[in-house]
């Protein structure tokens, strides 16, 4: 009978215990290789494996104070012993692992589809390969004109030193980083999403009211210049009202209208206080400092945006770099960990496209019938989409999904973690049809003192 269970559990409420107990329940009735538990760190996976084995030992040796949940699973200690021996004999099938490891397992089953040898090595830092690929491009003739045009544009808006090779590498890496932050690839890059993302990031530290005002201004025609003019006028007003405290040579722009040339001058200074006289003792309002920082960042990214997409086309250069990088990785038989999930989605993310038919992929997809995912609030959209066909297959075949997490504990937003996926599960169950769906709350805290629990309930209740 297909089943989906969600446990919403605050810190210290025993969610790892629940997950371990559920894992043992499933192992008692199913083959070892048909159950997988996923968490986010190697340490957490190791602790969960250790806890499961400890639970089995406590039943086998009839230890005191065995939790009632465990006693209910194994009526006889012989059953626990049989499972314990099975795990030790087939430890490679004891699947309590990290979500990154599971992504790697899926990718390995598809490696032939990507023209990658299945015995590839995973690398965690691709900087050396990235640098080598850029140098190959610089040595060639075909892309030299694009690279020189790109370099001259970067020099116009950035203070990156004097080494042209380093400047090109840093510019390309920044573009690659922005694309990755948006969860996509260069192939599927959405220009408007990118534009909005860099705008929102540049003004994120401003007061909420002023931020909304700028968002409305930007929303009218998507023009960076109009927002820059508005920020510039605020800075002029502040500097003029405190002119005696500022170094005259550094604020010549205060009598001018906004222009690209004026904006570029701001990149010479790290912070607004760098424009003050040495003798000045004024404490600049933090709000004004934030306006200065936002102006600088918005000016910088607006110019990079135009470099990327309006004739100078760094995306075109980066596409060439990626091709060379792929050739280098293929010759070394290495795969970058961060690229694995997006590559899986290329093959299995489109519900309207046929799934890959490699034997390894089909075997993996059909073998696993039960998924238990810890810290689900930190799962990214990309990871969820990469696993979705697996979860579809498990539930449609009478398997189960078990999610544990707490939206308040979401800490991986910086790497794409999306706590709203808890809500997506409701849509998922409607789409595929599930015999049984449960959403439960673990209410008791076993870790914190009463006053801490009460404070937490007051803030989040």
């Amino acid at each position: 009978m297909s089943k989906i269970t969600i446990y919403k559990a605050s810190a210290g409420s025993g969610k790892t215990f629940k997950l371990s107990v559920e894992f043992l329940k499933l192992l008692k009735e199913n083959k070892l290789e048909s159950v997988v538990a996923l968490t986010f760190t190697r340490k957490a996976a190791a602790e969960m494996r250790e806890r499961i084995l400890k639970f089995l030992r406590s039943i086998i040796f009839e230890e005191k104070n065995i939790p009632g949940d465990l006693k209910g699973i194994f009526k006889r200690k012989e059953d626990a012993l049989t499972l314990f021996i099975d795990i030790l004999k087939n430890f490679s099938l004891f699947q309590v692992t990290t979500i990154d490891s599971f992504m790697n397992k899926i990718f390995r089953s598809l490696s032939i589809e990507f023209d990658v040898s299945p015995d590839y090595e995973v690398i965690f830092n691709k900087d050396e390969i990235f640098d080598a690929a850029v140098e190959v491009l610089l040595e060639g003739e075909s892309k030299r004109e694009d690279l020189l045009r790109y370099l001259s544009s970067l020099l116009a808006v950035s203070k990156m030193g004097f080494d042209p090779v380093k400047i090109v590498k840093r510019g390309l890496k920044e573009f690659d980083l922005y694309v990755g932050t948006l969860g996509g690839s260069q192939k599927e890059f959405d220009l408007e999403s990118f534009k909005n993302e860099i705008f929102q990031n540049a003004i994120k530290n401003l007061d909420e009211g002023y931020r909304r005002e700028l968002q409305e201004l930007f929303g009218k025609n998507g023009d960076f210049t109009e927002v820059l003019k508005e920020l510039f006028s605020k800075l002029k007003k502040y500097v003029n009202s405190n002119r005696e405290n500022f170094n005259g040579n550094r604020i010549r722009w205060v009598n001018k209208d906004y222009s690209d040339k004026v904006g570029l001058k701001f990149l010479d200074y790290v912070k607004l206080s760098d424009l003050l006289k040495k003798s000045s003792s004024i404490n600049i309002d933090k709000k004004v400092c934030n306006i200065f920082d936002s102006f600088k960042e918005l000016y910088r990214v607006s110019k990079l945006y135009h470099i990327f997409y309006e004739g100078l086309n760094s995306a075109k250069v980066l596409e060439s770099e990626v091709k060379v990088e792929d050739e280098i990785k293929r010759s070394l038989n290495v795969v970058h960990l961060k690229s694995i999930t997006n590559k899986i989605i290329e093959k299995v993310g489109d519900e309207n496209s046929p799934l890959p038919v490699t034997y390894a992929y089909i075997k993996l997809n059909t073998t696993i019938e039960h998924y238990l995912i810890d810290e689900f609030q930190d799962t990214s959209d990309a990871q969820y989409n990469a696993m979705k066909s697996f979860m579809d297959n498990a539930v449609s075949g009478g398997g189960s999904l078990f999610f544990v997490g707490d939206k308040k504990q979401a800490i991986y937003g910086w790497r794409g973690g999306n706590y709203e996926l808890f809500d997506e599960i409701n849509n998922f169950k409607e789409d595929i049809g599930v015999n049984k769906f449960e959403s439960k709350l673990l209410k008791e805290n076993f870790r914190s003192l009463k006053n801490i629990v009460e404070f937490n309930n007051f803030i989040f209740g």
Side-chain angles (χ1 to χ4, degrees):
M1 181 176 70
S2 60
K3 179 182 177 182
I4 295 179
T5 305
I6 296 176
Y7 267 101
K8 297 176 182 178
S10 296
S13 59
K15 59 186 176 65
T16 307
F17 173 83
K18 274 290 181 190
L19 203 66
S20 301
V21 168
E22 187 68 21
F23 191 88
L24 282 173
K25 284 181 182 177
L26 290 167
L27 285 190
K28 184 174 180 292
E29 304 296 336
N30 299 276
K31 292 181 179 178
L32 190 58
E33 62 268 31
S34 71
V35 184
V36 61
L38 305 175
T39 188
F40 272 80
T41 66
R42 292 181 181 180
K43 182 180 179 182
E47 287 175 352
M48 187 174 168
R49 285 194 295 268
E50 184 179 345
R51 178 173 290 202
I52 290 167
L53 293 175
K54 184 178 179 181
F55 283 168
L56 287 172
R57 286 197 302 269
S58 68
I59 296 169
I60 293 166
F61 294 107
E62 299 179 318
E63 295 177 3
K64 296 179 180 180
N65 302 320
I66 298 174
D69 289 359
L70 287 177
K71 289 180 180 177
I73 300 174
F74 299 97
K75 303 296 183 184
R76 303 182 314 131
K77 68 177 184 179
E78 288 78 11
D79 295 333
L81 179 60
T82 300
L83 178 57
F84 188 80
I85 293 171
D86 187 27
I87 290 173
L88 295 182
K89 286 174 65 176
N90 303 283
F91 201 75
S92 63
L93 302 179
F94 183 33
Q95 299 184 91
V96 180
T97 186
T98 64
I99 197 162
D100 283 337
S101 293
F102 189 66
M103 292 295 108
N104 184 37
K105 183 176 282 192
I106 296 175
F107 182 81
R108 201 175 292 277
S109 74
L110 292 168
S111 57
I112 295 173
E113 295 273 331
F114 296 107
D115 194 24
V116 175
S117 174
D119 62 347
Y120 64 82
E121 179 185 349
V122 175
I123 58 172
F124 298 90
N125 187 341
K126 71 168 186 174
D127 282 354
E128 289 184 13
I129 292 174
F130 187 99
D131 291 349
V134 173
E135 285 170 15
V136 168
L137 283 178
L138 289 167
E139 290 170 4
E141 296 287 338
S142 61
K143 294 295 177 183
R144 183 162 295 175
E145 188 176 328
D146 286 334
L147 285 166
L148 286 174
R149 190 164 65 244
Y150 180 53
L151 172 61
S152 65
S153 301
L154 285 173
L155 285 169
V157 298
S158 304
K159 307 296 181 183
M160 291 184 173
F162 301 97
D163 186 330
V165 176
K166 286 184 179 179
I167 292 169
V168 170
K169 286 177 183 177
R170 285 181 62 183
L172 289 174
K173 281 179 182 177
E174 180 163 15
F175 174 68
D176 195 31
L177 177 64
Y178 271 124
V179 174
T181 301
L182 292 175
S185 63
Q186 291 80 20
K187 189 186 298 182
E188 62 188 24
F189 191 74
D190 177 17
L191 175 60
E192 287 307 309
S193 294
F194 172 67
K195 191 175 186 179
N196 187 60
E197 177 80 9
I198 60 176
F199 171 73
Q200 298 295 346
N201 187 63
I203 66 169
K204 65 183 179 184
N205 292 325
L206 298 175
D207 284 357
E208 185 177 351
Y210 190 42
R211 195 166 66 244
R212 278 201 301 267
E213 183 182 326
L214 295 179
Q215 287 168 342
E216 289 178 12
L217 182 60
F218 184 70
K220 289 179 181 178
N221 54 18
D223 189 353
F224 290 113
T225 303
E226 291 304 312
V227 180
L228 286 166
K229 286 179 179 177
E230 163 61 25
L231 290 168
F232 184 69
S233 69
K234 293 281 188 186
L235 291 172
K236 281 180 64 174
K237 184 177 180 181
Y238 179 82
V239 172
N240 270 322
S241 64
N242 296 276
R243 199 156 186 161
E244 68 279 4
N245 290 289
F246 286 90
N247 183 316
N249 290 326
R250 294 180 179 180
I251 60 166
R252 290 176 181 174
W253 49 264
V254 81
N255 296 317
K256 299 178 181 179
D257 293 329
Y258 172 77
S259 66
D260 279 352
K261 193 173 181 181
V262 169
L264 184 60
K265 290 289 183 184
F266 279 68
L267 299 183
D268 290 327
Y269 304 103
V270 176
K271 52 190 183 295
L272 185 56
S273 58
D274 292 340
L275 305 178
L276 294 172
K277 293 177 179 177
K278 288 185 179 179
S279 59
S280 175
S281 59
I282 186 176
N283 289 318
I284 301 176
D285 190 319
K286 185 178 179 182
K287 292 179 182 179
V288 181
C289 291
N290 287 340
I291 290 174
F292 178 83
D293 295 340
S294 295
F295 176 85
K296 267 184 59 180
E297 178 63 10
L298 186 61
Y299 176 83
R300 191 183 69 83
V301 297
S302 70
K303 294 305 166 189
L304 286 174
Y305 169 82
H306 289 290
I307 291 170
F308 293 160
Y309 281 103
E310 296 191 7
L312 300 172
N313 209 350
S314 67
K316 183 179 176 184
V317 177
L318 186 62
E319 185 179 342
S320 302
E321 185 280 329
V322 169
K323 287 179 181 177
V324 176
E325 192 179 307
D326 285 344
E327 289 174 11
I328 293 172
K329 286 189 284 192
R330 193 175 295 114
S331 67
L332 296 174
N333 197 27
V334 296
V335 175
H336 184 224
L337 177 65
K338 287 187 177 179
S339 70
I340 284 176
T341 303
N342 282 335
K343 285 183 177 293
I344 294 170
I345 292 172
E346 285 178 21
K347 292 294 180 184
V348 305
D350 186 352
E351 295 179 357
N352 298 316
S353 299
L355 290 176
V357 290
T358 64
Y359 172 75
Y361 178 83
I362 293 172
K363 184 178 180 182
L364 180 63
N365 198 329
T366 54
T367 297
I368 302 172
E369 299 172 358
H370 306 278
Y371 292 86
L372 301 93
I373 304 181
D374 193 16
E375 308 292 1
F376 187 60
Q377 74 279 352
D378 289 321
T379 304
S380 70
D381 289 324
Q383 290 166 336
Y384 178 77
N385 289 328
M387 293 189 293
K388 196 167 183 298
S389 68
F390 283 75
M391 295 190 295
D392 280 346
N393 192 66
V395 175
S396 61
S400 66
L401 308 175
F402 189 89
F403 304 99
V404 179
D406 177 19
K407 291 182 180 181
K408 298 191 298 298
Q409 294 184 68
I411 59 172
Y412 282 109
W414 57 272
R415 53 166 279 181
N418 181 10
Y419 63 84
E420 292 181 349
L421 283 173
F422 269 113
D423 303 320
E424 178 65 25
I425 296 301
N426 289 311
N427 299 329
F428 177 69
K429 72 179 176 68
E430 297 294 338
D431 291 342
I432 62 173
V434 178
N435 298 114
K436 189 175 182 181
F437 178 85
E438 294 180 313
S439 181
K440 301 179 179 180
L441 180 66
L442 295 180
K443 296 181 178 180
E444 191 172 355
N445 188 296
F446 299 95
R447 183 185 303 166
S448 306
L449 296 174
K450 182 180 178 181
N451 59 335
I452 295 176
V453 174
E454 288 176 348
F455 176 77
N456 187 64
N457 289 341
F458 174 76
I459 296 296
F460 296 104

